[in-house]
Amino acid sequence: MKSLVLRRPDDWHVHLRDGAALAAVLPFTAARFARAMVMPNLNPPVTTTRQALEYRERIRARLPAGAAFEPLMTLYLTDATPPEEITRAKAAGIVGCKLYPAGATTHSDAGVTDVRRIDATLARMAEVGMVLQVHGEVTDPQVDIFEREARFIEAVLAPLAARHLQLRIVFEHITTRAALDFVHGARAGIGATVTPQHLLMNRNALFAGGLQPHHYCLPVLKAEEHRAALLAAVAGGSPRLFLGTDSAPHARRAKEAACGCAGIFSAHAGIELYAEAFEAAGALDQLEAFAALNGAAFYGLPRNEATVTLTRDAWRVPERLPFGDEELVPLRAGESLAWRLAA
Ligand code: DOR
Ligand code: ZN
């Protein structure tokens, strides 16, 4: 049986939720990843250092016994986040601040209405070395949903990066050729995360045989040419790109609804899915850098010393997983995955 030993990977973008949902999903992430960048879009959002540290304690309290996993915390930026909060957060070991354009996605209502309103806060972030993590889509309902990422680059991200030349920025969950071009042509200090769904599926997956709510996430899946470009970029070993699953659990009832929530749960196979994508591109030798080296280098954090082993030993993903009092439909539910995480 073919097997693959990798330095233990990190997930640079994950939604762990809170309470019973947190307890249900955390073991999947902790089993695979040494560290994860935990998104702050709880309800209410994690906007202060104190809230982030309390959230970190709730995560740690839910960790399975013996888990070697470190949650890395982020603050949710609002129009009113003061520069002083950034200084406090940095001193407390918080690694990044997430910019959600108000209304862009799940629990983003308290997000930033206009980035120029937070320029003083962004300047403080650059000064103290706090990373800005960006959900890169414009929110104007007049803009075609497939164009929102490309539009965001020219309208918001490029000017922001030029106004704050020392600010380190992660363009999260990129989905288009335009985003790749921006990241690869950008000044130093700009990187991007790529999800498994955007490497493995194109927008046809939203409508294959009928409406597929479990393939709906934001940014939405794009056309095949964009998927192919993303896969070629990670397979080519771009050091600016790194793993961020954007695993975003929602109860089955909330997904299979007249107005279904955005988010794909992938933590149950958070490294296995990438192995499948890299294998399809003939680039398994590039997986370790993408999953375990590039992100740590970008964030200036040490490399993980432990390893994980993947074996080419097909398994069937459960149809549903427990999710507190609800249930959760994982990506590839009921289907076979080629790679398995060895115990
Ligand atoms: O699909 C998504 N789900 N995109 C996001 O940006 C947020 C996430 C969530 O929290 O459910
Ligand atoms: Zn996300």
Short mmCIF file of all heavy atoms in Angstrom, two decimals, residues 190-216:
data_model
loop_
_atom_site.label_atom_id
_atom_site.label_comp_id
_atom_site.label_asym_id
_atom_site.label_seq_id
_atom_site.Cartn_x
_atom_site.Cartn_y
_atom_site.Cartn_z
N ILE A 190 2.31 39.17 1.26
CA ILE A 190 0.94 38.83 0.88
C ILE A 190 0.89 37.36 0.47
O ILE A 190 1.65 36.92 -0.39
CB ILE A 190 0.43 39.74 -0.25
CG1 ILE A 190 0.34 41.18 0.30
CG2 ILE A 190 -0.93 39.26 -0.79
CD1 ILE A 190 -0.18 42.21 -0.64
N GLY A 191 0.01 36.61 1.13
CA GLY A 191 -0.17 35.19 0.82
C GLY A 191 -1.64 34.88 0.69
O GLY A 191 -2.49 35.78 0.76
N ALA A 192 -1.95 33.60 0.48
CA ALA A 192 -3.35 33.22 0.32
C ALA A 192 -3.56 31.77 0.78
O ALA A 192 -2.67 30.94 0.65
CB ALA A 192 -3.78 33.34 -1.14
N THR A 193 -4.76 31.52 1.30
CA THR A 193 -5.15 30.15 1.59
C THR A 193 -6.02 29.62 0.45
O THR A 193 -6.67 30.39 -0.27
CB THR A 193 -5.94 30.05 2.91
OG1 THR A 193 -7.03 30.98 2.88
CG2 THR A 193 -5.06 30.34 4.11
N VAL A 194 -6.01 28.29 0.30
CA VAL A 194 -6.81 27.62 -0.73
C VAL A 194 -7.53 26.45 -0.06
O VAL A 194 -6.91 25.67 0.67
CB VAL A 194 -5.92 27.11 -1.88
CG1 VAL A 194 -6.80 26.58 -3.02
CG2 VAL A 194 -4.99 28.21 -2.40
N THR A 195 -8.83 26.34 -0.31
CA THR A 195 -9.63 25.28 0.33
C THR A 195 -9.60 24.00 -0.51
O THR A 195 -9.29 24.05 -1.71
CB THR A 195 -11.12 25.69 0.45
OG1 THR A 195 -11.73 25.58 -0.84
CG2 THR A 195 -11.29 27.10 0.99
N PRO A 196 -9.97 22.87 0.10
CA PRO A 196 -10.06 21.65 -0.72
C PRO A 196 -11.19 21.73 -1.74
O PRO A 196 -11.05 21.24 -2.86
CB PRO A 196 -10.31 20.53 0.31
CG PRO A 196 -10.80 21.21 1.54
CD PRO A 196 -10.22 22.60 1.53
N GLN A 197 -12.32 22.33 -1.36
CA GLN A 197 -13.45 22.34 -2.31
C GLN A 197 -13.13 23.12 -3.58
O GLN A 197 -13.58 22.75 -4.66
CB GLN A 197 -14.76 22.83 -1.67
CG GLN A 197 -14.79 24.26 -1.15
CD GLN A 197 -14.49 24.33 0.34
OE1 GLN A 197 -13.78 23.48 0.88
NE2 GLN A 197 -15.02 25.34 1.02
N HIS A 198 -12.34 24.20 -3.44
CA HIS A 198 -12.04 24.99 -4.63
C HIS A 198 -10.95 24.34 -5.50
O HIS A 198 -10.75 24.74 -6.64
CB HIS A 198 -11.67 26.42 -4.24
CG HIS A 198 -12.82 27.18 -3.65
ND1 HIS A 198 -12.92 27.43 -2.29
CD2 HIS A 198 -13.96 27.69 -4.20
CE1 HIS A 198 -14.07 28.08 -2.05
NE2 HIS A 198 -14.71 28.25 -3.19
N LEU A 199 -10.25 23.34 -4.95
CA LEU A 199 -9.30 22.56 -5.76
C LEU A 199 -9.97 21.36 -6.42
O LEU A 199 -9.49 20.85 -7.44
CB LEU A 199 -8.14 22.05 -4.89
CG LEU A 199 -7.21 23.11 -4.33
CD1 LEU A 199 -6.20 22.46 -3.37
CD2 LEU A 199 -6.47 23.83 -5.46
N LEU A 200 -11.06 20.87 -5.80
CA LEU A 200 -11.65 19.60 -6.25
C LEU A 200 -12.93 19.77 -7.04
O LEU A 200 -13.34 18.84 -7.74
CB LEU A 200 -11.94 18.71 -5.03
CG LEU A 200 -10.71 18.14 -4.32
CD1 LEU A 200 -11.08 17.58 -2.95
CD2 LEU A 200 -10.05 17.06 -5.17
N MET A 201 -13.61 20.92 -6.91
CA MET A 201 -14.92 21.06 -7.54
C MET A 201 -15.02 22.39 -8.28
O MET A 201 -14.41 23.38 -7.88
CB MET A 201 -16.03 21.03 -6.48
CG MET A 201 -16.14 19.70 -5.75
SD MET A 201 -17.63 19.63 -4.71
CE MET A 201 -17.16 20.66 -3.33
N ASN A 202 -15.82 22.37 -9.33
CA ASN A 202 -16.18 23.64 -9.96
C ASN A 202 -17.68 23.89 -9.75
O ASN A 202 -18.36 23.09 -9.09
CB ASN A 202 -15.77 23.66 -11.43
CG ASN A 202 -16.51 22.63 -12.26
OD1 ASN A 202 -17.71 22.39 -12.05
ND2 ASN A 202 -15.82 22.02 -13.22
N ARG A 203 -18.18 24.97 -10.31
CA ARG A 203 -19.55 25.37 -9.99
C ARG A 203 -20.60 24.39 -10.49
O ARG A 203 -21.74 24.44 -10.02
CB ARG A 203 -19.83 26.79 -10.46
CG ARG A 203 -19.75 26.98 -11.96
CD ARG A 203 -19.68 28.47 -12.28
NE ARG A 203 -19.73 28.69 -13.72
CZ ARG A 203 -19.58 29.88 -14.29
NH1 ARG A 203 -19.36 30.97 -13.55
NH2 ARG A 203 -19.65 30.02 -15.59
N ASN A 204 -20.24 23.51 -11.41
CA ASN A 204 -21.20 22.48 -11.82
C ASN A 204 -21.64 21.64 -10.62
O ASN A 204 -22.77 21.12 -10.59
CB ASN A 204 -20.59 21.54 -12.86
CG ASN A 204 -20.48 22.19 -14.23
OD1 ASN A 204 -20.98 23.30 -14.43
ND2 ASN A 204 -19.85 21.51 -15.16
N ALA A 205 -20.75 21.51 -9.63
CA ALA A 205 -21.07 20.67 -8.46
C ALA A 205 -22.24 21.24 -7.65
O ALA A 205 -22.83 20.53 -6.84
CB ALA A 205 -19.84 20.54 -7.56
N LEU A 206 -22.57 22.51 -7.88
CA LEU A 206 -23.72 23.10 -7.17
C LEU A 206 -25.05 22.61 -7.73
O LEU A 206 -26.08 22.71 -7.06
CB LEU A 206 -23.67 24.63 -7.29
CG LEU A 206 -22.63 25.31 -6.42
CD1 LEU A 206 -22.41 26.74 -6.90
CD2 LEU A 206 -23.08 25.31 -4.97
N PHE A 207 -25.00 22.13 -8.97
CA PHE A 207 -26.25 21.83 -9.67
C PHE A 207 -26.29 20.42 -10.24
O PHE A 207 -27.17 20.10 -11.04
CB PHE A 207 -26.46 22.85 -10.81
CG PHE A 207 -26.33 24.27 -10.36
CD1 PHE A 207 -25.21 25.03 -10.66
CD2 PHE A 207 -27.33 24.85 -9.57
CE1 PHE A 207 -25.09 26.34 -10.22
CE2 PHE A 207 -27.22 26.16 -9.12
CZ PHE A 207 -26.10 26.90 -9.44
N ALA A 208 -25.33 19.57 -9.85
CA ALA A 208 -25.21 18.24 -10.46
C ALA A 208 -26.40 17.36 -10.06
O ALA A 208 -26.50 16.95 -8.91
CB ALA A 208 -23.90 17.59 -10.05
N GLY A 209 -27.31 17.12 -11.00
CA GLY A 209 -28.46 16.26 -10.73
C GLY A 209 -29.53 16.93 -9.87
O GLY A 209 -30.43 16.26 -9.38
N GLY A 210 -29.42 18.24 -9.66
CA GLY A 210 -30.35 18.96 -8.78
C GLY A 210 -29.55 19.87 -7.86
O GLY A 210 -28.32 19.76 -7.80
N LEU A 211 -30.22 20.74 -7.16
CA LEU A 211 -29.53 21.72 -6.31
C LEU A 211 -28.81 21.02 -5.15
O LEU A 211 -29.41 20.22 -4.45
CB LEU A 211 -30.55 22.71 -5.78
CG LEU A 211 -30.01 23.95 -5.09
CD1 LEU A 211 -29.13 24.76 -6.03
CD2 LEU A 211 -31.17 24.80 -4.60
N GLN A 212 -27.54 21.31 -4.99
CA GLN A 212 -26.69 20.61 -4.00
C GLN A 212 -26.26 21.57 -2.89
O GLN A 212 -25.20 22.18 -2.94
CB GLN A 212 -25.43 20.05 -4.69
CG GLN A 212 -25.71 19.08 -5.81
CD GLN A 212 -26.32 17.77 -5.30
OE1 GLN A 212 -26.13 17.40 -4.14
NE2 GLN A 212 -27.07 17.09 -6.16
N PRO A 213 -27.09 21.72 -1.86
CA PRO A 213 -26.79 22.72 -0.83
C PRO A 213 -25.49 22.45 -0.08
O PRO A 213 -24.87 23.38 0.43
CB PRO A 213 -27.99 22.64 0.12
CG PRO A 213 -28.59 21.29 -0.12
CD PRO A 213 -28.33 20.98 -1.56
N HIS A 214 -25.05 21.19 -0.04
CA HIS A 214 -23.82 20.88 0.71
C HIS A 214 -22.57 21.27 -0.06
O HIS A 214 -21.46 21.16 0.46
CB HIS A 214 -23.81 19.42 1.14
CG HIS A 214 -24.96 19.12 2.03
ND1 HIS A 214 -25.07 19.64 3.29
CD2 HIS A 214 -26.11 18.42 1.81
CE1 HIS A 214 -26.21 19.25 3.84
NE2 HIS A 214 -26.88 18.53 2.95
N HIS A 215 -22.75 21.76 -1.27
CA HIS A 215 -21.61 22.29 -2.03
C HIS A 215 -21.63 23.82 -2.08
O HIS A 215 -20.85 24.43 -2.81
CB HIS A 215 -21.60 21.71 -3.46
CG HIS A 215 -21.30 20.25 -3.48
ND1 HIS A 215 -21.56 19.45 -4.56
CD2 HIS A 215 -20.74 19.44 -2.54
CE1 HIS A 215 -21.18 18.21 -4.29
NE2 HIS A 215 -20.69 18.18 -3.07
N TYR A 216 -22.53 24.39 -1.31
CA TYR A 216 -22.63 25.86 -1.30
C TYR A 216 -21.76 26.43 -0.19
O TYR A 216 -21.93 26.10 0.99
CB TYR A 216 -24.09 26.28 -1.10
CG TYR A 216 -24.26 27.77 -0.94
CD1 TYR A 216 -23.76 28.66 -1.89
CD2 TYR A 216 -24.92 28.30 0.17
CE1 TYR A 216 -23.90 30.02 -1.73
CE2 TYR A 216 -25.08 29.67 0.33
CZ TYR A 216 -24.56 30.52 -0.62
OH TYR A 216 -24.70 31.87 -0.45
#
